[in-house]
Amino acid sequence: MLAKRIIACLDVRDGQVVKGIRFEQLRQAGDPADLARRYNREGIDELVILDVTASLESRRAIEATIRAVAVETFIPLAVGGGIRGLEDAAAVIEAGADKVSLNTAALRDPAIITDVASRFGSQAVVVAIDAARQPQGYAVYARSARTATGRDAVEWAREAEARGAGEILLTSIDRDGTRAGFECDLTAAVSEAVSIPVIASGGAGRFEDFAEVFGRGRADAALAASIFHYQESGVGDLKRFLAENGIPVRI
């Protein structure tokens, strides 16, 4: 069995890491490069930088922040926010990213997934899906969870894979920042529908939440922010907990 990955997410706004609840009530959590240095030292498996206002402001992710983080780490770095085409994708990779995360732009023009995968390889393409529970299924939202798309999360994940995505970054809007645990039903539904890795995001509050999403949720990786940013829990402690509970991780 492949090792499960633990990923730290740096939501960036105006050059600072922020974190909110359900994409609102943002509060500062520190300097991106300082946090990246700390996570690299603690043994995080990957980092994700999401420029949370780039799409809303119709601009490219901040390249200076990407460069500052990239020099502090020796682990895979994914970057999302404001990537609208090949030129934007090339810019963030040139700045030090190993992967690009596509969300709003891919929903508007799904062909961008294939374009970026053809240029840089599927391993460099992460399709981010922000989804909220509905009476039946899970609905996909764009523009930092502000705009309903009319798409179903499972069907969109299948299409993203068919178009060349290498991974799915799946965020539960309902659980984001709540620390109420991952949305395992959503994660399992998408994981069972695609053959590419699924990263669960939204709701991490306890070590047991990670064990549950790797088990019942069938996630390949779990992404978290608040639980790590404010130093309430260490990456090493989490990995030891998971290993003691039979979940393969890199320690």
Side-chain angles (χ1 to χ4, degrees):
M1 181 183 296
L2 293 175
K4 303 295 186 181
R5 291 170 288 151
I6 305 298
I7 301 173
C9 183
L10 308 179
D11 292 324
V12 175
R13 180 180 185 179
D14 298 330
Q16 288 292 303
V17 177
V18 296
K19 188 56 195 169
I21 299 175
R22 299 188 182 97
F23 294 67
E24 302 286 350
Q25 306 172 45
L26 299 180
R27 62 172 174 143
Q28 290 200 355
D31 177 77
D34 289 344
L35 284 171
R37 188 182 309 115
R38 193 185 101 207
Y39 290 138
N40 189 59
R41 187 174 61 245
E42 291 182 354
I44 203 80
D45 294 308
E46 296 184 23
L47 277 176
V48 172
I49 296 176
L50 295 178
D51 189 329
V52 295
T53 57
S55 290
L56 294 175
E57 296 168 359
S58 299
R59 60 169 173 76
R60 184 181 291 171
I62 301 171
E63 292 167 31
T65 299
I66 300 168
R67 294 184 192 281
V69 168
V71 300
E72 298 290 349
T73 65
F74 303 97
I75 54 178
L77 172 63
V79 173
I83 299 172
R84 297 176 295 273
L86 276 176
E87 185 178 343
D88 295 331
V92 300
I93 287 177
E94 173 65 22
D98 300 288
K99 309 174 187 179
V100 297
S101 179
L102 304 171
N103 189 334
T104 298
L107 286 161
R108 185 168 51 239
D109 178 15
I112 187 179
I113 300 171
T114 307
D115 291 344
V116 177
S118 297
R119 173 81 173 273
F120 300 104
S122 289
Q123 83 289 340
V125 181
V126 180
V127 169
I129 300 176
D130 299 332
R133 182 185 284 272
Q134 303 296 307
Q136 291 186 333
Y138 295 88
V140 177
Y141 285 74
R143 294 174 56 81
S144 296
R146 285 174 165 80
T147 305
T149 67
R151 284 184 174 269
D152 174 77
V154 172
E155 293 305 316
W156 176 225
R158 285 196 182 106
E159 180 177 343
E161 178 183 24
R163 288 181 176 275
E167 288 183 290
I168 300 293
L169 170 54
L170 182 64
T171 297
S172 166
I173 297 170
D174 304 308
R175 301 294 180 93
D176 180 70
T178 65
R179 306 192 187 196
F182 293 97
E183 174 57 279
C184 288
D185 291 341
L186 166 64
T187 309
V190 173
S191 294
E192 290 167 0
V194 300
S195 60
I196 55 178
V198 174
I199 304 165
S201 169
R206 308 170 303 147
F207 289 175
E208 289 81 359
D209 297 332
F210 290 85
E212 185 179 20
V213 82
F214 287 137
R216 188 165 69 86
R218 302 185 59 179
D220 299 281
L223 178 147
S226 305
I227 190 173
F228 298 141
H229 290 347
Y230 304 109
Q231 303 196 48
E232 297 168 6
S233 301
V235 175
D237 293 336
L238 169 59
K239 286 190 168 184
R240 283 188 286 276
F241 171 85
L242 293 172
E244 290 168 2
N245 284 273
I247 297 171
V249 292
R250 297 185 188 89
I251 296 180

